[in-house]
Amino acid sequence: MSTATIAHFVSGLPSQGKSTRTQDVFNPATGAVTAQVHLASTADVNVAVAAAQKAFPAWADTSPLRRARVMFKFLELLNLHKDELARMITAEHGKVFTDAQGEVTRGIEIVEFATGIPQLLKGDYTEQVSTGIDNWTMRQPLGVVAGITPFNFPVMVPMWMFPVAIACGNTFILKPSPIDPSPALFMADLLKKAGLPDGVFNVVQGDKEAVDALLVHPDVKAVSFVGSTPIANYIYETGAHHGKRVQALGGAKNHMVVMPDADIDQSVDALIGAAYGSAGERCMAISVAVLVGDVAERIMPKLIERTKALKVLNGTNLAAEMGPIVTSIAHQRITGYIEQGAKEGAKLLVDGRPFDAKQTGPGCEKGFWMGGTLFDHVTPEMRIYKEEIFGPVLSCVRVKDFAQAVDLINAHEFGNGVSCFTRDGNVAREFARRIQVGMVGINVPIPVPMAWHGFGGWKKSLFGDMHAYGEEGVRFYTKQKSVMQRWPESIGKGAEFAMPTSK
């Protein structure tokens, strides 16, 4: 039986492109190859950019109201087909189906935000800034813009970008991860069915060659990226060097502080879900528990019990709490970090490496499986504390008081997300004010902002000045123009206005 092929979407149609390079697409639960994805060449990218450039003038001239109506229709279609998208995510990424459903829902919320674009694009107006002169501002689209997105959220992260960009009047090129490429094409088809003109939204599958082609192309005016910090830094520097507007969201090492007065059961529930949900493969995963004072002695027994009891199953099983690791390479990397943590002296309380894949479901013996891993007595000098593991590994660090917890987190090079569990209102307020992290949760383990607020970290978690989606997304995908106009002299002098008479 021949393997399915997954290619590009350009000018409203599927496209094989000219490149003959391909990459295997796996089902992580079974380890089986399910498709071959085409990897675009520079020439393939150039074709997509040309299609987007051709479509831009007419789309930019389309009224915001008409663009919003396309978004409304797209929203309707997404809601009709959201479970199909979720099944695609589970099949190619491996996350459990309910988690995939949640991902699609969070993406849909951005589309809901984008439908309000007529209001969001309203400018300011000041009359009589000088005698007979008024001044106003308008926001106009940039042109062709691109999104380079990661494997861990193949629906939600692209929707952080393209609904806002397109609603603002830009044309868009999406370069998704080749690990889970199918959802991008499905969304492209829904956009076409929603009435989006051909060429406004395009998909190029690919790897570094496609990325570099987008970064240097003179007609690409802006690039959005989500991924690891080294690549985010590369995207930012390369894109900026070629005169592009860039927002590049990088890696994370997210901490959750548990104060002595916290609800222990609530804190354990939060840590288990935030550390091991989606197999820890998300930039907002909690990978460090900061245990303050005597709370460690009370919380560790429950953490050990819950980590050992994790239901690691095929993501199609609705009882699953965690699915497989996304690729065999990622599995090897995570295994290496666990080995390193044990060598450096961290106390390995639960080891996820010796895992029986047979318990995960029929046909899953060759999948990329591991259980949850729990370390205690981790110190800031250890690699498992300093570096992003991007897997189901929770490291516990013990500190004596609140001030030490804040200092520990503020000293880390990443500043993406953080959380504090406490019943003390003053502690909560001071934590939110003093912590040097872009997204803060108080008794909320994964503080991903809502669609109208915008997503982004600090320090080495964000390269660029603007966060993703929300009003900052509108600003990123538009440029402001200021207009000053002098009215006719007779009006400027205060003369009586006279209607023209017919001859």
Side-chain angles (χ1 to χ4, degrees), residues 441-463:
I442 304 298
N443 297 320
V444 175
I446 302 179
V448 177
M450 295 304 292
W452 52 94
H453 280 289
F455 182 104
W458 287 11
K459 297 185 279 191
K460 288 189 177 180
S461 294
L462 175 68
F463 298 83

Side-chain angles (χ1 to χ4, degrees), residues 2 11 60 67 77 89 106 161 188 194-195 202 243 250 268 316 324 348 352 393 398 414 438 446:
S2 61
S11 293
R67 298 199 297 258
L77 293 171
I89 296 168
R106 293 309 300 268
M161 303 172 187
N202 307 275
V268 170
T316 58
L348 183 56
V393 180
R398 302 185 182 213
F414 294 125
I446 302 179

